Amino acid sequence: MPEALRVCALYPDLMNIYADRGNLIVLERRCSWRGIGFELSSSGLGEQLDPDAHDLFYIGGGQDRDQRLCAEDLLESKSSALHAAAERGAIVLGVCGGYQLLGHSYAIGEELIPGLGLIDAVTVREEGPRLIGNVAIEVSLEDDADARPRVLAGFENHGGRTHLGAGQEALGRVLKGHGNDGRSGLEGARRANTIGTYLHGPLLPKNAWFADWLIARALGRDSSELSPLEDELEQQAHLGARRAAGV
Ligand code: GLN
């Protein structure tokens, strides 16, 4: 196993609402409790990105205004590095606003905010209320230590509706909540190791099993190879989030 999980947070100052920072802390703790090193770096506006220097790239949620700034910068200074990283199997995880930027575009009225095109999806700010509330989805991840479908629970708050391209796999099926667009019953998107989801929560403190799946996958391992942890509190947090969503 490599000595450390190398994580790069993209725009941690701008793309970080609903305590998305907690996701990074969970990755750090779960590595350190197992004696796996953890290196956190960040890349902000105008900063270059080395596609080979990180195992997991993280981009959190953001306001439309901040997404605009980041979208411009992503295309100018980080797009080819992120495509190269995804190509070699690094994890790229986008939450909410970050998820929207992984797709082709985010349309707000006449304005089109361009995205990275790492997943085949477009997001549109349509008429209608924001999609807000507790949410639970069912996901099946092929090399999960527990091969059954599992639940991710969290909280969503987005004005944009995301529509997946015909061949684009969703991350999961909505059990409770709105998901991508409030209609399709689909939530998030996944293409190999690029994953987008509307679940804040923050996502990983409420779904420790998914943090482990990400850690293992980023290190090129199977989750069953990670030593088990004392997860009493994490389990309570997960069950609490599920209860909040009514699942
Ligand atoms: N600004 C985006 C939207 O409203 C994303 C919001 C978020 O990250 N919570 O759709």
Side-chain angles (χ1 to χ4, degrees):
M1 195 173 288
E3 290 191 307
L5 178 71
R6 302 165 307 161
V7 173
C8 180
L10 297 167
Y11 316 106
D13 302 336
L14 293 169
M15 300 295 284
N16 169 31
I17 52 180
Y18 293 109
D20 285 320
R21 244 179 332 204
N23 292 326
L24 300 172
I25 295 171
V26 166
L27 293 174
E28 187 271 317
R29 294 291 147 79
R30 295 186 78 76
C31 283
S32 88
W33 288 332
R34 293 183 166 108
I36 302 170
F38 183 84
E39 292 167 15
L40 178 63
S41 21
S42 64
S43 187
L45 294 177
E47 290 171 349
Q48 293 301 311
L49 203 55
D50 177 351
D52 298 317
H54 314 283
D55 309 304
L56 189 153
F57 296 82
Y58 177 78
I59 179 162
Q63 318 277 4
D64 290 353
R65 189 190 51 233
D66 295 328
Q67 282 175 270
R68 247 175 226 121
L69 290 173
C70 295
E72 215 170 281
D73 185 74
L74 276 172
L75 293 194
E76 256 170 39
S77 54
K78 298 179 181 59
S79 177
S80 54
L82 284 169
H83 276 269
E87 198 61 40
R88 73 167 171 82
I91 300 258
V92 181
L93 174 63
V95 172
C96 202
Y99 165 35
Q100 295 171 340
L101 295 180
L102 300 181
H104 299 298
S105 57
Y106 176 22
I108 308 174
E110 297 289 286
E111 181 190 5
L112 197 71
I113 299 176
L116 288 162
L118 282 170
I119 51 176
D120 184 15
V122 294
T123 298
V124 183
R125 186 59 94 92
E126 293 165 5
E127 288 299 305
R130 293 183 70 80
L131 305 180
I132 303 176
N134 294 299
V135 54
I137 67 172
E138 184 178 71
V139 298
S140 297
L141 301 171
E142 68 282 2
D143 53 359
D144 184 1
D146 183 346
R148 294 165 305 173
R150 298 248 226 164
V151 172
L152 286 176
F155 181 79
E156 62 184 326
N157 181 353
H158 48 110
R161 272 78 167 155
T162 298
H163 306 292
L164 304 183
Q168 174 62 58
E169 189 190 333
L171 175 61
R173 195 173 64 78
V174 175
L175 298 172
K176 277 286 165 66
H178 303 288
N180 282 339
D181 58 7
R183 291 191 294 268
S184 61
L186 302 174
E187 204 292 314
R190 173 169 179 215
R191 179 178 277 174
N193 285 353
T194 298
I195 294 170
T197 177
Y198 274 114
L199 272 67
H200 292 281
L203 173 70
L204 301 183
K206 291 185 173 174
N207 301 283
W209 72 266
F210 187 54
D212 284 353
W213 185 85
L214 291 168
I215 292 168
R217 195 140 179 121
L219 295 174
R221 298 291 167 141
D222 195 273
S223 330
S224 61
E225 295 176 55
L226 295 181
S227 42
L229 296 174
E230 179 60 65
D231 270 342
E232 178 65 23
L233 285 173
E234 289 77 0
Q235 188 57 14
Q236 306 258 353
H238 179 69
L239 292 175
R242 283 171 76 140
R243 266 196 307 275
V247 170

